[in-house]
Amino acid sequence: DTGVSQNPRHKITKRGQNVTFRCDPISEHNRLYWYRQTLGQGPEFLTYFQNEAQLEKSRLLSDRFSAERPKGSFSTLEIQRTEQGDSAMYLCASSLQGGPNTEAFFGQGTRLTVV
Amino acid sequence: AQKITQTQPGMFVQEKEAVTLDCTYDTSDPSYGLFWYKQPSSGEMIFLIYQGSYDQQNATEGRYSLNFQKARKSANLVISASQLGDSAMYFCAMREPQSGYSTLTFGKGTMLLVSP
């Protein structure tokens, strides 16, 4: 297993277009997380899945954002009608279900630029 | 109120010297976990070290150690014998019991630059 994989690594899109990102977690991990990181900030939680169920969504996740994890494997994050404020690094992480010491493994992220 | 506060936007250190990166946190839960991650320019968050709220001893992992002062709610990262490859952003993060310890809350990070 090569770790958490995210595609694409970079995406430039015009304002108003839809974009979709993919995340392939570590295979045995049942939890998958999406975070957003803007310039000069730490990652901010967007949403997470336990297996195929989306268990929590942040208030940051507007109705233009949707995430899926069919069959509890890979996940996609779609942003509809992109805005310039959506420009950020989108990080995916995966982990086993556990307590406070549960380590999350991150992918290299997808950097989105909305022009 | 900020859950995780990192007050140092940037730090400079010379190669082979030690450096301390500050982190304070805010929680009312007795059970929580504290993490430090390194983020090089490639973007990936790399786990460095973990400290549990009930751990009696400070965590250590190779050149990394965590100065955990529970009463002060601080969890400072100490990097000994800095190397050029340590230049990166460093983030402190906390995991709390909400939602089954599901999410990490991150600070704003500290940029560390190691000079020859």
Side-chain angles (χ1 to χ4, degrees), chain B residues 10-51:
Chain B
M11 290 286 286
F12 294 89
V13 66
Q14 273 202 310
E15 203 176 3
K16 299 179 186 175
E17 292 188 346
V19 63
T20 298
L21 306 183
D22 295 342
C23 172
T24 57
Y25 59 92
D26 182 25
T27 181
S28 57
D29 288 301
S31 175
Y32 52 89
L34 297 161
F35 297 78
W36 277 91
Y37 281 85
K38 172 184 177 181
Q39 188 179 41
S41 56
S42 60
E44 184 178 358
M45 301 287 283
I46 301 168
F47 166 75
L48 296 178
I49 196 166
Y50 166 80
Q51 180 83 44

Side-chain angles (χ1 to χ4, degrees), chain A residues 9 31 33 35 37 40-45 48 56 89 91 95 98-109, chain B residues 31-35 37 39 41-45 47 50 91 95 98-109:
Chain A
R9 292 289 312 280
R31 283 190 172 176
Y33 314 82
Y35 288 81
Q37 185 178 19
Q41 303 293 320
E44 296 173 294
F45 169 75
Y48 95 95
E56 189 173 347
M89 174 80 90
L91 292 164
S95 76
N101 62 339
T102 304
E103 182 183 341
F105 294 80
F106 284 80
Q108 289 188 296
Chain B
S31 175
Y32 52 89
L34 297 161
F35 297 78
Y37 281 85
Q39 188 179 41
S41 56
S42 60
E44 184 178 358
M45 301 287 283
F47 166 75
Y50 166 80
F91 292 96
R95 197 188 290 277
Q98 285 93 326
S99 304
Y101 295 103
S102 60
T103 63
L104 286 165
T105 303
F106 287 85
K108 292 187 176 183

Side-chain angles (χ1 to χ4, degrees), chain A residues 16-35:
Chain A
Q17 297 292 306
N18 299 344
V19 293
T20 300
F21 311 139
R22 177 179 170 124
C23 172
D24 288 273
I26 293 172
S27 56
E28 62 267 28
H29 286 179
N30 59 349
R31 283 190 172 176
L32 186 149
Y33 314 82
W34 286 98
Y35 288 81

